[in-house]
Every structure is written in structure tokens, then in C-alpha cells.
Amino acid sequence: MSFKYVNHLPSPEIIKKEYPLSLELQQLKEDRDRQIADVLTGKDDRFLVIIGPCSADNEDSVCDYVSRLAPIQEKVKDQLIIIPRIYTNKPRTTGEGYKGIASQPDPEKAPDMLEGLVAVRKMHIRAISESGLTPADEMLYPENWGYVEDLLSYVAIGARSVEDQQHRLTVSGFDVASGMKNPTSGDFSVMLNSVYAAQHPHHFAYRGYEVETSGNPYTHVVLRGAVSKHGNSTANYHYEDLIRLNEMYEKMDLVNPAAVIDTNHSNSGKKYLEQIRIAQEVMHNRQLSPVIRKLVKGLMIESYIEEGCQKIGEHVYGKSITDPCLGWEDSERLIYMLAEMNAK
């Protein structure tokens, strides 16, 4: 046989019962979800900052990082809503390499998806309880939604997943903010079609059930740059890109037009320090153009305790084992700068 069935994974209901979110934290999440939704619908003028490690590889350092964000959130609460990136699945273009804590709780050991599901819930719940901040995660595998649906205030659909019908239809059943990235080709039409699909109701098969969804009005686009036919990174966060995106939004039957700018990936060419300049340019363009200010609701930033990245096994605390990230000091200064620029 081509498949070897290693383990029968428990249902989301079983895992959630074993590792529940307290009533107090449920209420916290409901309030945060509403605030984030209000930003996307234009009821709230604050700005979203989705910030954290490229991949959440270690519970202690990730929760340490997220807890450092909490006092900053209190200081900038009138201007920003900080959403910690706790990304537990890592997309791999070729399928090789570390695939995230959901698959491999210990990067130096063999995959163990049962332990991975437990590790994901424990880390998310600990981060929420210690910081009061509800997180974002990438939904690389749509069937995993049930394991984290009560924990996340933001969901990202990646560049390699956004064209997949199952991802689009599954997002139509989410009740939280969901960002659809442009594909690696950079095609805005593909990205907007994914938003259209996710905002509308559907009838499909999901986890062994026939299901119906009502559509997710908080689905929006995420610009992450593109890769040209020659393999070069091309940015798509500039003034003219945003004006073009707004014009395309206006031609479609979509509610709550909104964009989040990913400052890393192909927008920065994975040059992590460029994220600071890119963030400044986006905020400057929001000041120049009322259209862009209304459209662009937030930024995604890759950041950790130590800047750069390391190889698996080097054991530098709080340093990415995947893509390079901003360090803590630069990240803190950047958050305060974003708050100041949003106030203008």
C-alpha cells in the first residue's frame, strides 16, 4: 500500500475536552474577535499588527515573546490591536524540512501528530492566559480547524493554499478575521476570487460530514509580494499596487474591502530588516491617500526575541529556525512607530 496508517487521531471534541479554554478566556476571545471585526468593517479606526515568529517552534520562547507584547498593547491600545503570530504549521514548497509544531513538536525528533495537536492547544492556551492576547495562526490544513476554532482571533491562508477550493470553502465557515494571501504568482484576481468564495455560503463535504456554511464577511486580502517567472521577488505593497487593488475590489460583490500587508516574504525578499522600511512606507501612503487609509487595515511582521535565524539544533533561545525575523528591540520600536503614524 502507498499509505501506512500510523495513528488514528482523536476528534477535535476529544482534544478540546482534554485541554479546554476557560470561560474567562472564552469571553476575552469574544471581545477581541469583535474588536478585530470592527477594524475590518470600518467601525474602529485602530490598526492591526499581526506580529511574531515565522513559526512557533518552542512553547517557552514563544510564550515569553507573546507576554512581552502585552504591556506594549496596553500602551498603544488607542491606536493598535496587536495579534500575536503563533503559527503552528509551516508550509514547505518542496515538502522537505520542518513542518511546524503541529507535525513535529520537537524539531530534532520524528514527527508525532498526536503529540503535535496537544502541543498546539497547550501553547495557544498558555499564550492567551499569560498575555491576554488572542493569536493568529495559518490554516495550512483545513481539517485542523476544529482543534483551534475556539482559540484563534485571526486565520491566514497562505500563498500556496489560496487557490485550493477546500481552503476557500472551509474559510466560509469561520467566524473570525481571515486573510487570503495573494498566490506566489502575484495574481490579484486569484486572491480576490478566494475572498469572494469565502464570503459566500457553500455546501460541501468536511471531515466526513455534509456541511453548509453561511459565508465569512471578515475575509480580506493579504499582500505578500510575488515571485516572477525568473524566480525574483517582486513587491506589491507600493502606492500604485494599493490603488489598483482598491479599484479591483470595487468591481466585485464583496463586503468590508480590506487589505493587510505582509512586510516579509516576497515583499522584503526575506531580508528581515527591510520590514521596518516597508512598514514605514505603507503607513506613509495611508497618510497620503484616504483611499489607502480606508483599505489597509494592518500589517503582518515576522519577529522573535533574537534577530535572524538559526539551524535546527543550534539552540539559541528565541531565534527562528525557519525564516529570519526582526529581533525584539527593533520590533518594540516599530510597534510604537506604527502607533504614532496611525494617530496622524
Side-chain angles (χ1 to χ4, degrees):
M1 292 177 63
S2 298
F3 282 86
K4 179 183 178 182
Y5 292 86
V6 179
N7 277 315
H8 180 75
L9 297 176
S11 69
E13 291 73 23
I14 292 173
I15 292 291
K16 285 193 287 188
K17 188 175 181 180
E18 279 193 56
Y19 301 92
L21 190 68
S22 70
L23 180 59
E24 179 185 2
L25 295 182
Q26 289 176 38
Q27 293 170 341
L28 170 72
K29 178 178 140 44
E30 288 177 8
D31 184 55
R32 292 257 302 170
D33 291 353
R34 179 190 53 77
Q35 293 180 47
I36 294 165
D38 284 349
V39 171
L40 293 172
T41 60
K43 295 178 183 177
D44 190 325
D45 290 333
R46 285 181 291 175
F47 194 70
L48 305 178
V49 179
I50 303 158
I51 187 168
C54 172
S55 55
D57 59 287
N58 177 280
E59 180 181 311
D60 288 339
S61 57
V62 168
C63 290
D64 178 356
Y65 174 90
V66 173
S67 292
R68 297 182 188 201
L69 293 173
I72 300 176
Q73 172 66 94
E74 181 61 27
K75 293 177 183 177
V76 300
K77 64 183 179 182
D78 293 337
Q79 297 299 327
L80 306 178
I81 297 177
I82 297 174
I83 307 173
R85 279 178 58 111
I86 304 181
Y87 280 27
T88 57
N89 292 280
K90 173 64 179 173
R92 310 306 312 202
T93 305
T94 64
E96 294 295 320
Y98 176 64
K99 297 181 178 66
I101 201 167
S103 299
Q104 200 172 352
D106 186 332
E108 296 180 60
K109 295 182 180 178
D112 187 328
M113 292 188 173
L114 176 56
E115 285 301 314
L117 293 174
V118 172
V120 166
R121 280 198 68 85
K122 287 176 66 178
M123 179 163 55
H124 277 304
I125 291 171
R126 177 181 169 187
I128 297 169
S129 63
E130 291 180 356
S131 70
L133 303 176
T134 47
D137 201 346
E138 180 169 349
M139 198 52 51
L140 185 59
Y141 306 108
E143 64 271 21
N144 284 355
W145 170 242
Y147 295 106
V148 292
E149 63 181 341
D150 58 329
L151 306 176
L152 303 182
S153 285
Y154 189 97
V155 177
I157 302 299
R160 295 161 190 82
S161 302
V162 75
E163 297 186 67
D164 173 57
Q165 179 159 303
Q166 190 72 3
H167 279 83
R168 294 177 174 191
L169 301 189
T170 304
V171 174
S172 74
F174 293 177
D175 57 359
V176 296
S178 301
M180 313 294 269
K181 289 194 174 186
N182 62 262
T184 53
S185 68
D187 191 324
F188 279 13
S189 296
V190 168
M191 174 178 62
L192 286 166
N193 285 339
S194 73
V195 173
Y196 183 96
Q199 285 195 357
H200 288 76
H202 295 285
H203 191 120
F204 60 104
Y206 182 74
R207 289 188 63 89
Y209 288 88
E210 181 179 7
V211 300
E212 290 182 344
T213 58
S214 58
N216 179 356
Y218 310 120
T219 311
H220 56 278
V221 305
V222 178
L223 302 185
R224 49 86 72 200
V227 179
S228 73
K229 64 181 181 181
H230 301 296
N232 300 318
S233 292
T234 58
N236 60 11
Y237 60 86
H238 297 305
Y239 187 100
E240 59 272 19
D241 297 309
L242 299 175
I243 295 297
R244 173 173 167 259
L245 173 62
N246 189 71
E247 291 171 350
M248 294 179 72
Y249 246 126
E250 289 178 343
K251 295 176 182 177
M252 298 189 70
D253 178 24
L254 296 170
V255 296
N256 306 320
V260 169
I261 310 302
D262 181 344
T263 61
N264 213 11
H265 297 97
S266 292
N267 272 331
S268 68
K270 294 191 178 181
K271 298 175 182 176
Y272 64 94
L273 289 173
E274 285 291 285
Q275 294 184 99
I276 300 170
R277 180 191 60 76
I278 292 167
Q280 289 173 324
E281 180 178 328
V282 171
M283 299 305 286
H284 179 64
N285 286 335
R286 291 179 83 242
Q287 294 171 346
L288 289 177
S289 167
V291 170
I292 293 176
R293 187 178 186 93
K294 184 178 180 182
L295 177 69
V296 177
K297 305 292 189 179
L299 295 173
M300 282 185 177
I301 300 164
E302 293 197 327
S303 156
Y304 213 170
I305 296 170
E306 300 294 335
E307 70 173 11
C309 62
Q310 63 180 324
K311 294 179 180 178
I312 292 173
E314 292 185 349
H315 301 295
V316 178
Y317 181 82
K319 192 170 187 177
S320 175
I321 61 170
T322 48
D323 292 348
C325 298
L326 287 178
W328 176 252
E329 289 77 13
D330 283 334
S331 302
E332 186 175 17
R333 284 192 293 268
L334 178 56
I335 293 171
Y336 288 130
M337 183 204 74
L338 295 176
E340 289 177 9
M341 295 188 78
N342 191 61
K344 294 180 180 178

